[in-house]
Amino acid sequence: MTMRTRLGRLACGLAGGVAAAALALGAVPASAETFKLGIVTFLSGQAAEAFGVPAANGAKTMIAGLNAGQLPAPYATKGFGGLEIQPVIIDEAGGATKQVQELRNLIQREQVDAVVGYISSGDCLAVGPVAEELKALLILFDCGTPRIFEDNKFSYVFRTAAHATMDNVGLVRYLKDHDVKINTFSGINQDYAWGHDSRNDFVAAMGQLYPEAKFEADLLPKFGAGQYGTEISALLRQGSDVVYSSNWGGDLQALILQAGPRGLFKRSQVVLSAADHVLPALGDKMPDGTIIGARGAYGLMSQPSPLNDWWQKTYTAEHGVYPVQAPYRMAQALLGLKTAVEKAMASNGGKKPTPDEIAAALKGSSWESPAGTITMANGDGHQAIQDIAFGRTRYDADKKMVVIEDVGRYPAKCVNPPADMKALDWIKAGFPGAECN
């Protein structure tokens, strides 16, 4: 057994058994009857439990449903225009250099037709230019940094979810709309692209909507730190009205589990821009009254629709827990790709489309997802915008789960910059063109 075969089988097990045969070294190139799809997400490491494996499980559920033709309209046709989807699952762990090589392997060795993947902002920044060099279709399903398309112009790279500016502008609007009094605020964010960009957007949005508020402690522990005793002590000493964090995955779980017993959530109003994915695991350890976002109108803050009802019911039945932000984002990427493939096939006489044909169909497109409408409005038609929701946590002992109350929703054009402005410039200019009603 080769090393790649062993890694493939490990990845398949962690992702809930997705397409075992497709993961072995030497798998034959996709035929005219299949669409071979690379999927990259964390299957090991501190980001796997709360984020990466749920994303892989989301891929499993959605691909199985698409291949069987089980989704409600407009997605009831099988596969991608009749092409059976054949997934190849890759672990995102190991850093950007490793991911660049894994992307080359997927495209050149596995001969995938497209790649959907990447949670880490650092990984996304690294792999985009490689996909462009190889003229391979790459769909970024999650990573949050606005810099992907603000600093680059791509033909083959797309992101089917909004970037982190939406999270932070929406969060500050929620605080203002719900009359949270803020004279002082502090932050604790991971020391890499995601944490820096999120912190910068939040501070800038506070400057617009809470211009008198003072930014106090600005803490940037390294990604994967795991231990936050020093930072929690600093935040307790500071005693700011609000403590903000964009932490995610294992870092976020550790911060909550360590800060809760020490009283940080009682001393300050804690606001977490991307926290819904840790709720199932934390249960009653999640402090009541925490204001959280989900990076979209996802999970407990999603709204009913035939598509969302199917998605929630099917995912929950298969995995024993409701879907949170990572599987939602994976689902909307796959549905966007399905829409583009079938649009391309409608134009080319029903043939399996090329990366160029799919890219042309996906650029500037719009489609329905379980979380509402996704529109490729920014980044010259390569960057999605979408609606977002926020709310307050409360543990429900009868249901034995955290519920979200006092939910506030914001339309895409309220919380995302217009196509002709960089995110931070838009915030600092006072959100020109924002449509919030």
Side-chain angles (χ1 to χ4, degrees):
M1 182 184 295
T2 66
M3 177 61 72
R4 190 169 181 85
T5 302
R6 289 195 295 271
L7 290 174
R9 289 184 177 175
L10 173 61
C12 180
L14 286 167
V18 182
L23 294 168
L25 178 62
V28 297
S31 71
E33 288 73 42
T34 65
F35 190 99
K36 199 171 185 182
L37 182 63
I39 294 175
V40 187
T41 181
F42 284 104
L43 302 174
S44 62
Q46 69 97 19
E49 178 185 0
F51 218 96
V53 171
N57 287 339
K60 173 188 175 182
T61 296
M62 184 55 72
I63 290 171
L66 289 172
N67 280 339
Q70 294 175 342
L71 273 69
Y75 302 113
T77 57
K78 289 187 176 182
F80 289 166
L83 301 172
E84 182 179 359
I85 307 163
Q86 180 185 7
V88 182
I89 310 291
I90 295 294
D91 190 353
E92 191 178 343
T97 300
K98 179 184 177 185
Q99 291 312 310
V100 165
Q101 185 57 50
E102 290 285 10
L103 179 64
R104 290 186 181 277
N105 289 342
L106 280 170
I107 295 164
Q108 297 175 325
R109 184 182 303 175
E110 300 286 356
Q111 298 182 36
V112 298
D113 296 299
V115 175
V116 172
Y118 304 102
I119 292 168
S120 164
S121 291
D123 291 343
C124 282
L125 289 166
V127 298
V130 178
E132 197 72 6
E133 170 200 334
L134 298 175
K135 297 184 178 180
L137 186 66
L138 172 61
I139 296 176
L140 306 174
F141 85 99
D142 180 63
C143 56
T145 177
R147 286 184 273 163
I148 302 295
F149 295 103
E150 290 186 349
D151 295 350
N152 302 279
K153 184 175 178 61
F154 292 118
S155 296
Y156 297 92
V157 182
F158 296 81
R159 178 162 50 189
T160 52
H163 56 59
T165 294
M166 172 184 73
D167 309 336
N168 297 291
V169 171
L171 179 54
V172 178
R173 287 195 182 281
Y174 180 92
L175 295 173
K176 193 70 174 179
D177 290 346
H178 289 76
D179 200 29
V180 178
K181 305 300 182 184
I182 309 175
N183 294 311
T184 59
F185 66 102
S186 291
I188 175 169
N189 297 281
Q190 294 151 316
D191 190 12
Y192 79 115
W194 160 262
H196 286 266
D197 291 339
S198 297
R199 182 271 310 268
N200 293 342
D201 284 351
F202 183 82
V203 172
M206 287 291 294
Q208 293 297 323
L209 298 179
Y210 286 90
E212 304 302 319
K214 179 183 177 183
F215 188 32
E216 297 183 320
D218 183 15
L219 307 177
L220 292 163
K222 68 179 182 179
F223 179 80
Q227 296 296 321
Y228 300 100
T230 300
E231 289 83 3
I232 293 167
S233 293
L235 293 169
L236 287 167
R237 285 195 303 271
Q238 195 70 63
S240 299
D241 296 325
V242 160
V243 171
Y244 159 79
S245 182
S246 63
N247 278 23
W248 61 279
D251 281 353
L252 179 58
Q253 289 190 64
L255 177 63
I256 293 168
L257 289 171
Q258 294 166 36
R262 294 185 61 183
L264 180 62
F265 289 78
K266 294 179 180 178
R267 183 175 182 112
S268 302
Q269 172 64 68
V270 177
V271 301
L272 306 171
S273 61
D276 86 308
H277 61 288
V278 300
L279 298 184
L282 288 175
D284 62 0
K285 300 297 190 297
M286 183 71 199
D288 288 349
T290 307
I291 295 173
I292 71 164
R295 307 217 59 225
Y298 299 143
L300 299 177
M301 291 184 277
S302 63
Q303 294 184 301
S305 71
L307 180 58
N308 192 36
D309 294 347
W310 174 88
W311 170 241
Q312 290 250 354
K313 180 180 178 180
T314 306
Y315 184 97
T316 302
E318 291 183 2
H319 305 294
V321 64
Y322 64 88
V324 290
Q325 61 181 272
Y328 265 89
R329 288 189 154 218
M330 180 64 75
Q332 71 192 38
L334 293 170
L335 293 177
L337 180 55
K338 176 181 172 68
T339 301
V341 169
E342 292 176 357
K343 180 180 178 182
M345 293 176 75
S347 299
N348 73 5
K351 298 180 296 184
K352 182 177 180 178
T354 66
D356 290 89
E357 290 173 329
I358 300 171
L362 186 54
K363 181 178 179 178
S365 65
S366 181
W367 66 94
E368 291 305 310
S369 81
T373 304
I374 310 299
T375 304
M376 304 299 287
N378 290 355
D380 193 29
H382 289 244
Q383 168 64 60
I385 63 172
Q386 62 187 99
D387 299 348
I388 196 167
F390 300 87
R392 290 181 181 269
T393 61
R394 179 179 63 81
Y395 184 74
D396 188 314
D398 293 331
K399 294 181 179 179
K400 297 182 179 180
M401 63 180 289
V402 178
V403 297
I404 307 296
E405 300 177 325
D406 203 14
V407 174
R409 304 182 187 280
Y410 296 89
K413 291 185 178 181
C414 174
V415 292
N416 288 276
D420 61 348
M421 292 190 74
K422 289 188 174 183
L424 196 55
D425 293 341
W426 175 66
I427 298 171
K428 291 180 176 179
F431 318 111
E435 300 176 16
C436 295
N437 296 321

